[in-house]
Amino acid sequence: MAVNSPRFALFDLVKGKSYCFRVRSANKYGVSEPSLPSEPITAGTTLAPLPPPSQVLAFRDSKTSVVVHWDKLKEGQEPLGYYIYCREVGTDEWQTVNNKPVTCNKFTVPGLKPGKEYVFCVKSVSEAGVGDSSPESDPIIVRPAISRPSAPRDFALLSCGRNDMTIGWKAPKHKGGGKILGYFLDQHDAAELGWHEVNIRPIVTNLNEGHFYEFRACATNMAGVGKVSEPSDLFKCEEWTMPQPGPPYDVRFTEVRDANLMLHWEAPLYTGTGPVTGYYIDVCEEGSEEWKQLNKHMVFIRYIGFLQVSDLETGKCYIFRVRALNKAGIGPPSIPSDPVVVETKPGTNEIELGVDKEGFVYMAFETPDMCDSSEFIWSKDYEGPPDPNRVKIEDKGNKSKIILKNASEKDLGTYSVEVTDVDDEISASHTLTQEVIELISGWNIDVLEKGEVRLWLEVEKLSPEAELHLIFNGKELSSTPVRINFDRANGLIELIIQDFCDDDKGTYTAQLQDGKAKNQFTLALVDDSFDKVEAEAAAKRRDWRRKQGPHFIENLQWKVTEDCEVLLTCKVSITIQLLLCILTKEDKGIYKAVVSDDRGEDITELDLSKEALSAKPLKVQPTAEGIRIYSEVKYYTDYMKTTWYHKYVLQIKSGERLKSGSTMDQIWLHILNPTDSDKGKYTLEIFDGKDSHRLSTDLSGKGELEQNISVLGKNRARVVQGLPDVATIMEDKTLCLTCCISGDPYPEITWFKNEKVVVFKDRYKMDVKGIVVTITIEKVCSDDTGKYSIYVKNKYGSETGQVTISVYKHGEEPIELREK
């Protein structure tokens, strides 16, 4: 009897006897020769299944796949293969990954959901069948593996002086699945042979006027330094004096949908002879060189950086550029944007609008296509983050939610969200309208002018048969002693409480029924929320009662006249003035004005218990650390505010190099480590509560400034020589970096790795001999890759030297060595 399956069950064998078997195949032409006999097998014996594999590990591979690896079984336990199983975290169902057993100990699991979290296990397959399951792997989120970024591109000259340039470029198209941590910029003078590293800033200084320069850059992320870009065009170092503005930059797009998108750009760095007053947007189809002006009329908002572009043809690929305008004319265009196909991509998510169980309005956005460093960036009306006092933002995994704390007309507008650090643009927006707020507004609280408390809410418009029950602490309220207003046509429920006090503390519930539809809204007015409303109501009641009699329209205030006299004023129906010719110690104290009649009285007070000062002209004093500018003062109060300006427009803020302050007899600004850029006019502005007074001095050409710059230049801490730009080394080797420092007094020395202080222990050692500083790293590994810097500092100044360390594995030849 022929069988149709490669398997066949035999019965009635004698237990304990050994048997051999062979097989013949047959077709319509006959029967074949028999196979070789099998090994002897004893009837009645049971084969034991093999044990499960161990050490199941999962690694990121792509946005829809994961690589699973496990340890093979011990020698002598040769399985026929392995089955791999996966389970999404949060579910109980295991799915078989492979249809037939795999013989190796590594397998790429395809078809996974982007952004979801999975666990994996493996089973051994033998002649005895499928064995037990291995321990589960650690959970892993399906995201692309992190790699080094691609090269930056499209360099542009954004501004140019006599000896400096500002360079811009586009970020890498492929960010490598992580945040771009920074850039390395190189420059090349066309008159020279070699390239020179500049720094990670886009501003290049100490250039030769009239020379031509080209630039290149590379980006870095957690995986290391990416590819170096192609050289830019040659840019001539020549100071811009054109009256028109320079080019806008960073032209990009978000919210790409069928027939429309949102275009963004940054304002020009060079504005010409006047401020930018508008922009023109140009567009062309990819493959065409014909640019068309998109907006017939100029975009008039001066500092606008966005524009909704509509009425585009779905499915076509477009490129955009932007030109800026001032009173002198139109400037050069920006670098064109990347090409964009105007269509809604499959799987595009939009912002979800809803109301949570607590009655708060929320907008939520979810996307699976994120990396570990990705963030959700929310914006209102494309002008910046929403007001944190009005909204709360919650991020969890691949989802972000923005919650309106107290939805009202102030929250109307367009809310947009972008996802950072992804290769493909991910964004969406939603416009919150008045209709949305009216449908979902919960309880609102207003304190009226006379101190009455108004509790109100808005719902959809109701029918005339709609019913309302107001419940307070379990009891239904009537129209006395409170006032209840139920406007069915407009969906308004209003409760007004006079003389708000402790008896009104509790829970208010509005129960609504309109036909078969039912709903209820609850407000808990207890603890801090009650205390806040009660205090505001009491204050307004007192203020309203005060105004029923004579009262002050303007409270007591003071100002210093040009003759250094202190003038006190207040206003009832006429202005009352008190003039103190010189404010002495005897005049200090609290001044009070009282107005009264038979209806009541009102009081206003002003505290002049501290001394008031007046300022003398600014003086300049050289110090060991730099230059001190100060004014001696005679009159002073805590109400005075002081602000320092450099060259009229730049407001000076205290920092490491510029420090400002005051004592009872001086107001001062201390310039540490002065340089030529510190020359110019300095202005001290004093605001006395009503008027501003200015004192100025000019440091241009001051002998003490020149002298201090010279002294500080000789004595301040410096990194003289020794550190290379890049150090490339094989892992397990010992790295030794040496540099020389100078400075009098001898500088303090600090090393940083990726902007974190290096602790010298274990493999890290530092040796200082005179001016020579040596850092040694033993048995270098991939964790040692990064940007290292030495920071030296003494009382005359500080300086930083930098080196990038790149570690490569055995057998690999890094790009830097191959190029050399």
Side-chain angles (χ1 to χ4, degrees), residues 564-732:
C564 287
E565 297 171 333
V566 178
L567 182 64
L568 306 183
T569 63
C570 60
K571 186 174 183 180
V572 189
S573 55
I574 60 173
T575 301
I576 301 173
Q577 295 184 349
L578 173 62
L579 181 63
L580 304 179
C581 295
I582 300 178
L583 189 59
T584 65
K585 292 184 178 180
E586 289 75 15
D587 296 316
K588 293 192 299 182
I590 298 176
Y591 287 78
K592 180 188 295 185
V594 181
V595 59
S596 65
D597 64 7
D598 55 358
R599 294 171 295 174
E601 70 176 26
D602 193 13
I603 300 173
T604 178
E605 294 182 352
L606 179 63
D607 187 356
L608 289 182
S609 59
K610 297 183 180 179
E611 293 188 7
L613 307 174
S614 65
K616 292 184 178 180
L618 291 176
K619 296 181 180 180
V620 179
Q621 175 188 17
T623 68
E625 295 83 9
I627 298 292
R628 192 170 184 269
I629 306 173
Y630 67 96
S631 170
E632 296 179 350
V633 289
K634 180 180 179 183
Y635 299 115
Y636 183 75
T637 73
D638 286 343
Y639 297 105
M640 284 187 176
K641 295 181 179 179
T642 58
T643 307
W644 288 91
Y645 294 89
H646 184 206
K647 299 178 181 178
Y648 296 106
V649 295
L650 181 60
Q651 181 175 347
I652 298 175
K653 297 181 179 179
S654 289
E656 292 185 0
R657 213 174 59 81
L658 297 173
K659 300 183 181 296
S660 60
S662 63
T663 62
M664 288 303 297
D665 57 356
Q666 282 189 358
I667 302 172
W668 50 267
L669 172 69
H670 204 172
I671 308 171
L672 307 179
N673 305 331
T675 63
D676 287 339
S677 63
D678 294 313
K679 293 181 179 180
K681 192 167 186 177
Y682 287 80
T683 302
L684 169 62
E685 181 180 81
I686 306 174
F687 180 66
D688 63 12
K690 185 175 182 181
D691 300 318
S692 294
H693 309 276
R694 291 194 169 209
L695 303 171
S696 299
T697 187
D698 197 335
L699 286 189
S700 299
K702 292 275 185 181
E704 53 265 39
L705 178 64
E706 302 288 350
Q707 179 182 354
N708 277 45
I709 292 175
S710 175
V711 171
L712 295 172
K714 293 178 180 178
N715 298 332
R716 78 180 183 89
R718 291 181 181 274
V719 180
V720 180
Q721 62 183 3
L723 288 180
D725 294 334
V726 179
T728 305
I729 187 170
M730 183 188 296
E731 63 181 4
D732 293 331

Side-chain angles (χ1 to χ4, degrees), residues 378-487:
W378 287 91
S379 176
K380 186 171 187 290
D381 297 327
Y382 302 98
E383 296 177 354
D387 185 354
N389 295 322
R390 302 202 58 81
V391 305
K392 180 174 69 173
I393 298 177
E394 296 179 351
D395 294 340
K396 186 176 181 181
N398 298 334
K399 188 173 185 179
S400 180
K401 180 188 290 186
I402 183 169
I403 303 170
L404 305 184
K405 296 180 180 179
N406 188 14
S408 70
E409 290 185 357
K410 295 180 181 179
D411 300 303
L412 301 182
T414 299
Y415 292 81
S416 59
V417 62
E418 292 184 54
V419 179
T420 64
D421 302 334
V422 291
D423 293 337
D424 296 326
E425 178 269 332
I426 302 174
S427 58
S429 67
H430 185 88
T431 300
L432 202 60
T433 62
Q434 180 68 34
E435 289 72 19
V436 174
I437 296 296
E438 286 180 352
L439 290 173
I440 53 183
S441 173
W443 280 106
N444 301 277
I445 305 174
D446 292 335
V447 179
L448 305 181
E449 182 182 8
K450 296 182 180 181
E452 300 168 317
V453 175
R454 175 179 178 247
L455 310 179
W456 61 279
L457 59 86
E458 287 181 290
V459 297
E460 293 179 300
K461 296 178 181 180
L462 303 171
S463 70
E465 290 76 25
E467 296 180 4
L468 167 68
H469 297 280
L470 279 174
I471 310 298
F472 171 62
N473 290 343
K475 296 181 180 180
E476 185 167 356
L477 292 173
S478 61
S479 296
T480 54
V482 297
R483 296 204 311 268
I484 299 174
N485 177 29
F486 183 25
D487 185 350

Side-chain angles (χ1 to χ4, degrees), residues 22 141 153 190 215 290 296 343 517 529 551 602 612 773:
R22 65 183 188 182
I141 298 176
R153 59 229 159 76
F215 300 88
E290 182 182 358
K296 296 181 180 179
E343 64 181 7
S529 61
H551 62 279
D602 193 13
V773 180

